[in-house]
Amino acid sequence: MYSSKVIGLGKYVPERTVPNEELTRYMETSDAWIRERTGIEERHWVEEGDGNTTSTMAAKASKIALERAGLKPKDIDFIVFATLSPEHYFPGSGVLLQEQLGCDTIGALDVRNQCSGFVYATAVADQFIRSGMYKNILVVGSEVQSTGLDLSTRGRGVAVIFGDGAGAMILTRDKDTSRGYLAHSLHSEGKYAMELAVKTPGSSFPSAKLVEFLKENPEDISHYPYMNGNFVFKHAVVRFQEAIVEVLTKAGLSPSEVDLLIPHQANLRISQFVQRQLGLRDDQIFNNIQKYGNTTAASIPIALTEAWEAGRIKEGDIVLQAAFGSGFTWGANLIKW
Ligand code: UT7
């Protein structure tokens, strides 16, 4: 048996910064409302002509992670790419990343678990390494959400939250099984699938019918994200805590032994709620939603990278990744660094 060790981390966000104040130009909202309800102060959004797409941002983050790992693209054996905002309906962004990095004809797997995407992607990559199938895996979360948001007042409950960006992590095979990823928890509850969703386009809506439908219903907004915010919030605070306790229990640890929790950056109030539930000190949790908003599958690798860059993660630390989101899906990964 082997374990998976993190040997490289990288992040990339578009240059364009969008402060809360800018959003007041597009919709009825205020800096005060957004800060108070979400903790967000600004986010980064792609802009026309900057060349940023889901895969190109992933490539930028991946190159940093590769350099830090001391590896070349040819050393990567497999790619796991988490996103809810791929460039195309198909193929997924994973193959575009494989081509841009110049990796060999390695496998590229796309993970479609929205905010929990990176937690799922990490667990998948870890299994491939533990089994001995692959040695070096690139795990990526990348999102361009700004191009799909309803920026009118109608969409303000969703639009103010989301940001664009990418994070990358390189996992490698290690013989020391007392370290690396020690436990995972992965869950879903599809009965709430439509509480946080983009309903069209989709195969349930044949393209020919969609064109006709849009002609007859020009005000249709089913191509914009829909979120039952309050409902999602209430489930998130319960499921985050459950997933964290589950992985800690599997590893025989208690919350007091956690060195750093990297929660998916959904809403600062959710992170603070979870922190209180688990009795964690401020130095045991990492939040950066203030600067980036909710970057969905990219939020954990961006936060992990920043935490590592800031010296908040040291050899031997117990680090937790945890997420909840559309699906509903949720989960956690526990690592001994
Ligand atoms: O990452 C994946 C999972 N996603 C989440 O975990 C998000 C979970 N949900 C949330 O974070 C929060 O529910 C939101 C931040 C989305 C919304 O905050 P809230 O405190 O639940 O607000 P609300 O939806 O209950 O709305 C309260 C009021 C409403 O006005 P009325 O009906 O009380 O007059 C909204 O119309 O705030 C209004 N509102 C806004 N006002 C100013 C909603 N969005 C905005 C806005 N600016 N952007």
Side-chain angles (χ1 to χ4, degrees):
M1 275 296 276
Y2 302 102
S3 71
S4 313
K5 185 177 165 190
V6 179
I7 53 164
L9 290 164
K11 73 167 212 301
Y12 175 81
V13 293
E15 269 177 36
R16 178 185 171 203
T17 306
V18 180
N20 292 342
E21 208 53 48
E22 183 180 330
L23 299 180
T24 64
R25 302 213 298 259
Y26 316 131
M27 63 189 84
E28 283 171 33
T29 189
S30 67
D31 178 48
W33 190 96
I34 301 170
R35 277 177 198 253
E36 189 192 315
R37 304 284 176 132
T38 70
I40 299 166
E41 295 164 19
E42 58 187 31
R43 73 285 292 138
H44 292 255
W45 281 357
V46 300
E47 57 191 326
E48 229 173 303
D50 71 2
N52 282 319
T53 68
T54 307
S55 64
T56 62
M57 291 198 305
K60 288 174 189 165
S62 300
K63 283 177 187 164
I64 297 168
L66 278 163
E67 201 186 316
R68 288 174 171 168
L71 295 182
K72 301 267 176 258
K74 303 252 178 256
D75 299 321
I76 296 297
D77 302 311
F78 195 67
I79 293 170
V80 188
F81 197 124
T83 185
L84 65 63
S85 51
E87 276 99 331
H88 312 292
Y89 192 96
F90 73 83
S93 301
V95 296
L96 305 182
L97 176 63
Q98 176 269 332
E99 166 64 12
Q100 285 165 35
L101 289 178
C103 296
D104 288 332
T105 56
I106 55 171
L109 173 71
D110 283 62
V111 168
R112 291 288 312 273
N113 288 77
Q114 299 69 249
C115 298
S116 313
F118 197 77
V119 165
Y120 272 73
T122 300
V124 168
D126 182 39
Q127 303 318 303
F128 277 129
I129 287 179
R130 277 169 181 268
S131 71
M133 186 159 170
Y134 295 123
K135 185 171 178 220
N136 299 317
I137 301 187
L138 171 59
V139 192
V140 178
S142 181
E143 305 284 4
V144 174
Q145 310 192 90
S146 57
T147 53
L149 298 172
D150 179 358
L151 295 185
S152 71
T153 297
R154 188 180 56 188
R156 66 183 180 176
V158 174
V160 301
I161 297 172
F162 292 105
D164 302 338
M169 171 171 86
I170 314 255
L171 294 183
T172 197
R173 185 194 289 168
D174 194 353
K175 284 198 176 128
D176 178 2
T177 53
S178 67
R179 294 178 46 195
Y181 281 94
L182 302 180
H184 305 282
S185 87
L186 302 174
H187 294 277
S188 71
E189 195 169 29
K191 77 175 158 188
Y192 300 128
M194 290 302 128
E195 302 296 343
L196 176 46
V198 174
K199 292 177 192 163
T200 59
S203 57
S204 60
F205 225 127
S207 304
K209 268 198 192 167
L210 185 60
V211 172
E212 208 47 45
F213 174 78
L214 287 174
K215 267 193 220 152
E216 285 164 19
N217 303 278
E219 293 302 313
D220 177 68
I221 52 164
S222 61
H223 55 289
Y224 285 129
Y226 165 77
M227 176 164 71
N228 184 348
N230 259 292
F231 189 79
V232 173
F233 192 106
K234 283 178 191 147
H235 282 255
V237 291
V238 174
R239 298 308 196 182
F240 258 104
Q241 193 234 11
E242 280 178 8
I244 291 167
V245 169
E246 185 181 335
V247 284
L248 284 171
T249 306
K250 280 184 186 174
L253 296 168
S254 67
S256 63
E257 292 171 277
V258 173
D259 292 294
L260 197 62
L261 166 62
I262 310 272
H264 160 54
Q265 306 290 299
N267 181 324
L268 190 59
R269 284 163 56 215
I270 294 178
S271 295
Q272 290 167 340
F273 207 101
V274 173
Q275 181 184 349
R276 280 197 299 276
Q277 282 171 325
L278 295 168
L280 300 178
R281 301 180 308 272
D282 288 350
D283 64 296
Q284 287 177 289
I285 186 165
F286 190 84
N287 290 302
N288 63 2
I289 191 170
Q290 299 90 331
K291 292 188 289 176
Y292 303 115
N294 177 343
T295 56
T296 307
S299 88
I300 288 179
I302 289 175
L304 198 56
T305 302
E306 282 206 335
W308 177 80
E309 286 170 348
R312 297 272 304 265
I313 303 176
K314 303 175 301 299
E315 203 83 356
D317 276 358
I318 296 294
V319 179
L320 271 168
Q321 306 170 182
F324 175 89
S326 161
F328 289 157
T329 58
W330 64 96
N333 323 98
L334 187 147
I335 182 166
K336 182 163 184 188
W337 207 266

